[in-house]
Amino acid sequence: MATDGLFDNVDIDDIAQTALEWEQKNSFVRFADLLAKESYSINGLSQQAIPELAQELCQKARENSLNEAVDSPFAILAKENDIMWSGGMPDDCTVIALHVTGKILDEK
């Protein structure tokens, strides 16, 4: 979940790519199968790492908002409506990130 400061400045495909790279960097994709077999939860690992994803997305939005060479989602929409706009849209940005990991296998 995020404010328009993210979505006006970062394309949805870039958001998804950033999240995938975060999962790969933190080895959640690899650990999911391995740790599930060992009856171990990745919840603790996820709780420690998730603020990094939110911060990374906010940073990307800020960088794009100040970059006049980037055609942001806001700029693309403005041009489609005959408004000449280039670059990002300076705005505040709040991101609430979560990582769904499932329940601990020992729970009933």
Side-chain angles (χ1 to χ4, degrees):
M1 184 165 47
T3 60
D4 63 338
L6 176 67
F7 300 109
D8 283 349
N9 291 295
V10 184
D11 184 71
I12 193 73
D13 290 335
D14 291 337
I15 294 169
Q17 183 64 36
T18 300
L20 176 61
E21 289 170 2
W22 173 83
E23 279 196 319
Q24 291 170 336
K25 181 175 83 172
N26 288 287
S27 301
F28 290 123
V29 175
R30 182 177 59 85
F31 282 156
D33 291 334
L34 176 66
L35 296 179
K37 292 177 185 173
E38 295 177 4
S39 298
Y40 181 79
S41 172
I42 62 173
N43 291 338
L45 297 172
S46 179
Q47 288 173 353
Q48 292 174 358
I50 197 69
E52 178 187 330
L53 176 59
Q55 185 176 4
E56 190 173 334
L57 289 169
C58 281
Q59 183 64 33
K60 188 173 286 229
R62 175 163 171 70
E63 289 170 2
N64 287 356
S65 75
L66 300 174
N67 187 346
E68 293 181 7
V70 171
D71 258 349
S72 67
F74 181 87
I76 292 169
L77 184 60
K79 288 175 184 173
E80 289 173 359
N81 288 285
D82 296 326
I83 299 170
M84 295 314 299
W85 188 279
S86 62
M89 173 60 175
D91 200 354
D92 62 337
C93 181
T94 301
V95 174
I96 300 173
L98 63 104
H99 184 227
V100 179
T101 60
K103 67 179 183 176
I104 298 172
L105 293 177
D106 294 327
E107 293 180 359
K108 295 186 180 204

